[in-house]
């Protein structure tokens, strides 16, 4: 996975004496996410690989003087290139698949949320956290400009910020998850302790409901 805007491609292409992912796989299929973060030169190297099966490791200019000419290695790894933007100028025969982003399939958000919560709680060796109804509504109403990775980052931060003695993620740690239409809305049932119980009690006339 490529992310954070600054891309170190040593893991992908390798370096002299240190194999990259393509070399380690030799065959099979490799998914490279956020391929758009590679610079034009690095994208051109991948296109050259797709055309010829040959790839060169990363070489520092200083190393090039001492290592001499390095012959490209040939591999048979199939690449799946993923990008949030449309890929153009590949100059190779390829099959294109357009997938819906997270805001277009919000019915999947609760299932993704459960997966990420279980993953991050297990990594931190703590009891599985749950979302309350208000937190679930926040997740469902948000627009996720960064797609699925943003949902993962939101829940990872929520797990870290939730006190160890709690089993439900408090609303306060989801402060950043707010759609534009809900920016100035306040849920009085969460802000005023006991209001929910009062409205559900016999003291609140059913006719008013």
């Amino acid at each position: 996975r490529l992310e954070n805007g600054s891309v170190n491609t040593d893991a992908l292409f390798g370096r002299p004496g240190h194999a990259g992912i393509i070399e380690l796989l030799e065959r099979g299929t490799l998914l490279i996410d956020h391929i758009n973060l590679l610079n034009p030169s690095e994208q051109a190297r991948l296109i050259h690989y797709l055309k010829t099966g040959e790839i060169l490791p990363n070489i520092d200019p200083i190393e090039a003087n001492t290592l001499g000419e390095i012959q490209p290695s040939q591999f048979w790894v199939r690449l799946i290139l993923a990008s949030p933007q449309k890929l153009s100028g590949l100059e190779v025969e390829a099959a294109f698949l357009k997938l819906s982003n997270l805001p277009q399939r919000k019915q999947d958000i609760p299932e993704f949320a459960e997966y990420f919560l279980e993953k991050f709680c297990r990594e931190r060796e703590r009891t599985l956290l749950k979302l309350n109804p208000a937190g679930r509504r926040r997740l469902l109403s948000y627009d996720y400009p960064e797609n699925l990775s943003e949902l993962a980052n939101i829940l990872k931060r929520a797990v870290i910020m939730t006190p160890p003695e709690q089993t439900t993620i408090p609303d306060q740690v989801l402060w950043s998850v707010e759609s534009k239409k809900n920016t100035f809305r306040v849920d009085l049932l969460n802000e005023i302790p006991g209001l929910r119980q009062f409205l559900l009690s016999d003291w609140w006339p059913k006719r008013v409901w």
Side-chain angles (χ1 to χ4, degrees), residues 126-144:
R126 64 170 300 162
T127 304
L128 178 62
L129 288 171
K130 297 181 180 180
L131 288 164
N132 60 27
R136 192 174 295 109
R137 286 195 297 271
R138 277 178 174 265
L139 294 182
L140 289 171
S141 66
Y142 189 56
D143 295 329
Y144 300 100

Side-chain angles (χ1 to χ4, degrees), residues 12 17 32 34 36 57 78 83 103 109 131 141 143 152 156 196:
L12 180 62
I32 304 178
H34 286 268
N36 55 297
R78 178 174 55 186
S83 169
I109 290 177
L131 288 164
S141 66
D143 295 329
K156 184 175 184 178
R196 186 188 304 272

